[in-house]
Amino acid sequence: MEENDPLRELKDDTAMKKLLIYMKGYGKESVLGPLFKLLEASFELLVPLVMAAIIDTGVAGADRGYILRMGGVLLLLGLVGLAASITAQYFSAKAAVGFAGRLRHALFEKVESLSFTQLDMLGASTVITRMTSDVNQVQTGVNLALRLLLRSPFIVFGAMAMAFTIDTKSALVFLAVIPLLALVVFGVMLWTIPQYRRVQAELDGVLGKTRETLTGARVLRAFAREEEETAAFRKKNAALARMQRFVGRISALMNPLTYAIINLAVLVLLHTGALQVDAGRITQGELVALVNYMSQILVELIKLANLIITITRALASANRVAAVLSLPSGNAAMAKASAPLPAAPAGVPAVEFDGVSLSYENAGAESLSDVSFRAYPGETIGVIGGTGSGKSSLVNLIPGFYPATRGSVRVFGTDVKDWPVAALRGKIGIVPQKAVLFKGTIRENLRWGRSDAEDDALWDALASAQAKEFVEQKEGGLSAPVEQNGRNFSGGQKQRLTIARALVRKPEILILDDSASALDYATDAKLRRAIRAMEGGPTVFLVSQRAASIRHADKIIVLDDGQVAGIGTHEALLQGCSVYQEIYYSQFPKEAAAPAGKEA
């Protein structure tokens, strides 16, 4: 997916600018954190001077009292520095965690606003990686940047400045070392930035493979494909590991190179300083102070090197997060004002397709071609066809999940594109092909249909969905727990609960997308009778591969390879539609193919 990402070229500084708006409200913490770190650094720069005074005055003069007093000063500097450091840590962590929380919320909100087409292109594994791993990387980068981005350079240049106040000739060593170290640090950084991007992209692939394997575990075991999938996962994981080792080796060069340069500089400094001490230009304490300043530079440059590596990873992750946030909203109607639409005049179809065609993004051919029909209020429309004929694609156009490529889809006389999303979806009850329940209770799941529904309304919906009996047998009834994805219910029970969830809102249009496939024929028939008897008489779209489920519909749409093969009643299609005849006779003996009578 990364190769096809249109936003992959977003610059790192642009990405961070887009994300820094989520720091709003943490201005105080973002200022106080670095300031307290600079305060700690200032006290740290005074330590070598105190040490020099102890050596030159206290030790040289054998003044025990002076040594103790200056030791107290060192202790005080340490305690004040510790307090400043802890305070800085607190403010930096508060700002970074708050920023990451807001960023995750914004990312989740953006993902919720994307169209099905955009989600299909992104892929679940990419979205999950960006919302978890990438946001964590950005959080760590912000935290360390607030703490060290000013402190480390301040110590490096402060130590060099303090060295010049002690002895200019010896301090020239500092002047030579710092550019050399900067060359190493920034050279490694420029090399690793694109590599870390590739690592994160490779992580998407590993996560996608993991998710696919876990989701399809039963299928894998049924076909005894465990070894092949394990080998495929190992291949992807090995590729990720190789890339991480490669980047890690480059990053690992930074520490030994900087240590080598600093230690060589210390040797030169000791040699130069010893000559200066011997000539009487500086004292032994001042030489020790110079060595301490060099050690401080070493420590801070190592910190700075690690900080740059972390920021490099954070920038790569920020780029990926900003790419998702920069995607346009998937539904144009979401941006529209929610002004009420004029009431539909009498006689207007509940749903009308006018020359509708649909092509999925990057698909080679149309999934639906030139579909036209009308469904009036209270009618039951059956949709039937072979696997891949476009049945789900057709009903997904009604709530606007996918935009029509050509033609128009109208609901109560208004084009789907002109409906505010909330108003449109409020009129439609949808039961998707795959029954999805959320962790909680039965009551909480049913109230997804209408959040303010009373228990009586929930029981009525359960009765219509033929689910009342088994819910009553559950301990707690409506308060019975639902595990993640409803795994404590059978397939048929999950389907009936999802149907009840759609019925709770008393929709004007009800879409049942092959949502009774796990029910036996008798229960399926009872369900259809109950829906027809519902108050208000919704327009019902029944998508099914069972001819028995749709044979009593007012109108049946027969699809074949994305095209309408026939529209009419069961009797008319059985007489004049070869595709419908083939489907029907494959499920019922030819001698039993009589006009529809009483429902079984």
Side-chain angles (χ1 to χ4, degrees):
M1 182 267 158
E2 284 297 311
E3 287 74 8
N4 298 322
D5 188 348
L7 299 172
R8 68 184 187 281
E9 298 298 332
L10 201 66
K11 292 182 179 178
D12 291 320
D13 56 345
T14 305
M16 281 309 297
K17 285 176 185 176
K18 284 181 176 291
L19 300 190
L20 286 178
I21 59 172
Y22 301 105
M23 288 290 288
K24 189 177 180 181
Y26 293 98
K28 180 183 70 175
E29 288 82 0
S30 301
V31 172
L32 290 177
L35 282 181
F36 274 98
K37 270 294 178 183
L38 291 181
L39 181 62
E40 179 211 356
S42 301
F43 288 120
E44 191 171 327
L45 288 173
L46 295 176
V47 169
L49 296 181
V50 177
M51 288 293 298
I54 290 174
I55 293 170
D56 292 338
T57 304
V59 176
D63 188 344
R64 188 184 297 271
Y66 186 83
I67 293 173
L68 290 175
R69 287 196 301 275
M70 297 309 288
V73 172
L74 281 178
L75 182 62
L76 181 62
L77 287 174
L79 290 174
V80 174
L82 176 64
S85 178
I86 291 173
T87 306
Q89 296 274 73
Y90 169 76
F91 285 123
S92 299
K94 184 177 179 181
V97 171
F99 161 77
R102 288 184 175 182
L103 183 58
R104 261 190 218 96
H105 184 273
L107 194 56
F108 187 82
E109 193 172 22
K110 169 58 71 174
V111 170
E112 288 290 292
S113 75
L114 298 178
S115 68
F116 278 30
T117 300
Q118 290 169 311
L119 288 173
D120 291 342
M121 290 185 66
L122 282 174
S125 60
T126 296
V127 173
I128 292 169
T129 303
R130 298 193 185 198
M131 198 174 291
T132 53
S133 174
D134 285 323
V135 172
N136 286 342
Q137 291 277 18
V138 176
Q139 176 183 327
T140 302
V142 169
N143 193 352
L144 290 179
L146 289 176
R147 286 161 44 198
L148 299 176
L149 195 59
L150 291 181
R151 182 190 188 280
S152 291
F154 180 79
I155 289 282
V156 170
F157 291 107
M160 185 173 69
M162 297 296 284
F164 272 98
T165 63
I166 294 173
D167 180 54
T168 303
K169 186 174 181 180
S170 299
L172 291 175
V173 177
F174 289 76
L175 205 58
V177 167
I178 290 175
L180 187 58
L181 288 170
L183 181 64
V184 172
V185 167
F186 286 102
V188 171
M189 181 188 71
L190 291 173
W191 183 270
T192 54
I193 283 176
Q195 300 301 325
Y196 279 120
R197 286 186 188 144
R198 292 181 60 197
V199 167
Q200 288 299 110
E202 201 69 35
L203 182 61
D204 279 349
V206 172
L207 183 60
K209 192 65 182 174
T210 305
R211 183 177 177 275
E212 182 183 59
T213 303
L214 292 175
T215 305
R218 294 188 178 187
V219 178
L220 291 175
R221 290 174 184 173
F223 287 91
R225 298 275 299 186
E226 294 95 334
E227 290 185 8
E228 289 86 345
E229 285 300 304
T230 301
F233 176 81
R234 282 177 179 163
K235 184 178 179 181
K236 281 189 171 292
N237 197 41
L240 174 62
R242 278 197 305 272
M243 195 171 293
Q244 286 179 320
R245 281 196 299 269
F246 175 70
V247 181
R249 287 190 187 107
I250 298 171
S251 299
L253 286 173
M254 193 177 292
N255 281 8
L257 284 176
T258 50
Y259 269 110
I261 293 169
I262 288 290
N263 286 327
L264 286 172
V266 169
L267 287 174
V268 174
L269 183 61
L270 286 173
H271 175 71
T272 307
L275 293 176
Q276 296 292 84
V277 171
D278 189 52
R281 294 191 184 93
I282 63 174
T283 64
Q284 292 177 346
E286 288 173 333
L287 177 58
V288 171
L290 287 171
V291 173
N292 280 340
Y293 281 128
M294 185 63 79
S295 298
Q296 284 185 353
I297 289 174
L298 168 63
V299 171
E300 291 306 319
L301 280 172
I302 296 300
K303 287 182 182 177
L304 186 60
N306 292 326
L307 171 64
I308 289 171
I309 292 172
T310 302
I311 289 178
T312 299
R313 292 175 179 172
L315 286 173
S317 294
N319 187 313
R320 292 155 53 80
V321 172
V324 176
L325 292 173
S326 299
L327 288 171
S329 178
N331 293 291
M334 293 190 78
K336 294 180 180 289
S338 56
L341 294 170
V348 170
V351 176
E352 182 178 2
F353 276 51
D354 185 7
V356 173
S357 297
L358 171 65
S359 294
Y360 290 110
E361 197 75 26
N362 299 325
E366 290 183 334
S367 298
L368 290 173
S369 300
D370 197 26
V371 178
S372 297
F373 69 87
R374 291 180 176 182
Y376 289 91
E379 282 190 333
T380 297
I381 310 297
V383 182
I384 195 169
T387 302
S389 59
K391 302 186 297 296
S392 293
S393 298
L394 185 144
V395 293
N396 281 335
L397 290 170
I398 299 171
F401 289 158
Y402 293 94
T405 311
R406 286 186 288 113
S408 63
V409 180
R410 290 186 283 274
V411 174
F412 294 111
T414 302
D415 197 297
V416 164
K417 296 174 184 176
D418 297 326
W419 276 91
V421 170
L424 175 63
R425 307 267 167 88
K427 289 182 174 291
I428 302 173
I430 306 167
V431 185
Q433 198 167 12
K434 182 180 178 182
V436 177
L437 295 174
F438 299 93
K439 187 174 181 180
T441 64
I442 293 175
R443 180 183 288 106
E444 290 169 349
N445 271 273
L446 295 182
R447 281 182 175 168
W448 278 66
R450 195 173 82 241
S451 58
D452 61 347
E454 299 291 338
D455 283 3
D456 288 344
L458 301 183
W459 283 116
D460 288 344
L462 287 169
S464 297
Q466 310 304 305
K468 184 176 181 180
E469 183 180 349
F470 77 80
V471 172
E472 286 177 332
Q473 292 172 359
K474 290 276 184 182
E475 186 178 347
L478 291 173
S479 300
V482 177
E483 294 183 13
Q484 188 176 14
N485 206 27
R487 58 174 175 260
N488 56 327
F489 292 92
S490 68
Q493 289 174 337
K494 284 199 289 186
Q495 285 189 339
R496 281 177 278 175
L497 286 174
T498 54
I499 293 169
R501 180 172 61 196
L503 297 180
V504 164
R505 75 191 325 172
K506 299 187 182 304
E508 296 178 50
I509 299 170
L510 178 64
I511 299 172
L512 303 177
D513 186 2
D514 204 14
S515 52
S517 58
L519 304 185
D520 58 70
Y521 283 97
T523 305
D524 187 15
K526 290 178 185 176
L527 171 65
R528 283 181 276 115
R529 281 199 296 268
I531 291 173
R532 278 203 300 273
M534 280 179 60
E535 182 183 350
T539 304
V540 180
F541 283 82
L542 275 174
V543 177
S544 181
Q545 295 194 32
R546 290 179 179 176
S549 296
I550 53 92
R551 63 185 292 181
H552 299 282
D554 299 300
K555 194 181 294 176
I556 299 172
I557 302 171
V558 184
L559 294 176
D560 182 35
D561 198 22
Q563 296 183 331
V564 176
I567 298 179
T569 62
H570 167 74
E571 292 82 1
L573 291 171
L574 206 56
Q575 293 293 323
C577 180
S578 60
V579 176
Y580 186 74
Q581 290 170 1
E582 183 180 346
I583 294 171
Y584 186 76
Y585 291 138
S586 68
Q587 298 175 17
F588 296 95
K590 205 158 190 176
E591 57 271 15
K598 282 186 83 175
E599 210 173 307

